[in-house]
Amino acid sequence: MTTMSERWYAVVGPEVGLTQGDILVDCPLLEWETPGSVPEEPSPASPGEPIERLYKLAVAIKADVVVMTQACDLEHGKVSKVVLCPCLPLSKYKADWEEAERARKQNPSEKAWKRVCNDITDGYVWNLFMMDSKPEGELCSEHRIVDFHSVFTVPRAFLEDLIVERGGIRLRLLPPYREHLSQSFARFFMRVGLPENIKPAW
């Protein structure tokens, strides 16, 4: 009998090619450090300075990520860079949420936490997606939260080399759950905020 987690995930080895829905743990990434302050009247810059300033803002980190690039594009070699989004273990996300709630002088109660999780699962939080847990088998994982606010691109060749170098197994989100993730990602980016709603005449 197929368990719920087996419907969500497959476990694949390093010999299996990269595809949409693959979860990469402790993946090396580059993100941008937010400058502490910007001068009100910056001095005139020479042609090389903007590139140098941007280069200095790059920070190397590691994070758990899920592959967002479409499976068909990876399968047919149409992309040289892969789009990734962070997918935090639920326990880590909860700790961050509790800290943020306390900073807002709010009480991070279990009731409030359950409401947050239900809202994410039901699709009411546009930038977040809940992935199911995999509690049994050769590779386990707790629930994960995918955050669409942070998007990374990494060279495909780098990721493929990394998978081979590590030589370990990884979780792969299966259809239709990976398409559900992709649809949520698209909904986040396609949303439109209107300056004024329709005035009812009824």
Side-chain angles (χ1 to χ4, degrees):
M1 181 178 178
T2 303
T3 65
M4 180 62 72
S5 64
E6 288 173 331
R7 297 192 191 107
W8 273 74
Y9 301 104
V11 177
V12 297
E15 74 284 354
V16 179
L18 190 73
T19 195
Q20 182 185 14
D22 280 7
I23 297 174
L24 307 177
V25 177
D26 286 336
C27 181
L29 303 166
L30 288 178
E31 71 171 1
W32 306 106
E33 181 180 327
T34 304
S37 60
V38 178
E40 292 183 5
E41 296 182 3
S43 58
S46 64
E49 286 182 352
I51 294 177
E52 292 171 5
R53 291 202 305 271
L54 184 63
Y55 179 80
K56 290 177 181 178
L57 293 177
V59 179
I61 63 168
K62 284 185 178 181
D64 296 353
V65 293
V66 59
V67 175
M68 302 300 301
T69 300
Q70 294 290 335
C72 56
D73 288 339
L74 290 167
E75 177 70 23
H76 298 293
K78 293 183 177 180
V79 292
S80 60
K81 297 179 180 65
V82 178
V83 177
L84 308 168
C85 280
C87 55
L88 277 72
L90 191 60
S91 58
K92 168 62 176 169
Y93 182 83
K94 183 180 182 182
D96 292 345
W97 171 80
E98 289 175 338
E99 183 179 343
E101 286 294 285
R102 293 191 184 99
R104 296 193 309 120
K105 308 299 183 185
Q106 299 295 316
N107 176 31
S109 66
E110 282 301 313
K111 182 179 180 181
W113 170 242
K114 288 179 181 178
R115 185 167 57 249
V116 167
C117 290
N118 286 333
D119 285 347
I120 295 171
T121 302
D122 294 338
Y124 296 133
V125 185
W126 287 88
N127 66 297
L128 301 177
F129 179 88
M130 178 84 76
M131 300 172 73
D132 201 4
S133 64
K134 187 178 183 301
E136 70 284 311
E138 56 184 329
L139 187 59
C140 300
S141 175
E142 59 181 292
H143 288 80
R144 288 179 176 273
I145 299 292
V146 183
D147 187 355
F148 302 143
H149 272 158
S150 299
V151 180
F152 301 91
T153 56
V154 175
R156 176 179 182 171
F158 173 83
L159 291 178
E160 291 174 337
D161 288 346
L162 182 68
I163 289 170
V164 173
E165 287 170 10
R166 288 180 171 179
I169 56 178
R170 65 187 186 277
L171 284 182
R172 169 171 291 175
L173 196 62
L174 294 174
Y177 303 103
R178 75 178 186 191
E179 284 77 18
H180 184 43
L181 169 62
S182 181
Q183 182 185 55
S184 298
F185 188 53
R187 276 187 16 245
F188 171 67
F189 276 96
M190 69 184 287
R191 73 197 191 285
V192 177
L194 299 177
E196 188 174 336
N197 288 328
I198 295 173
K199 293 182 175 63
W202 51 89

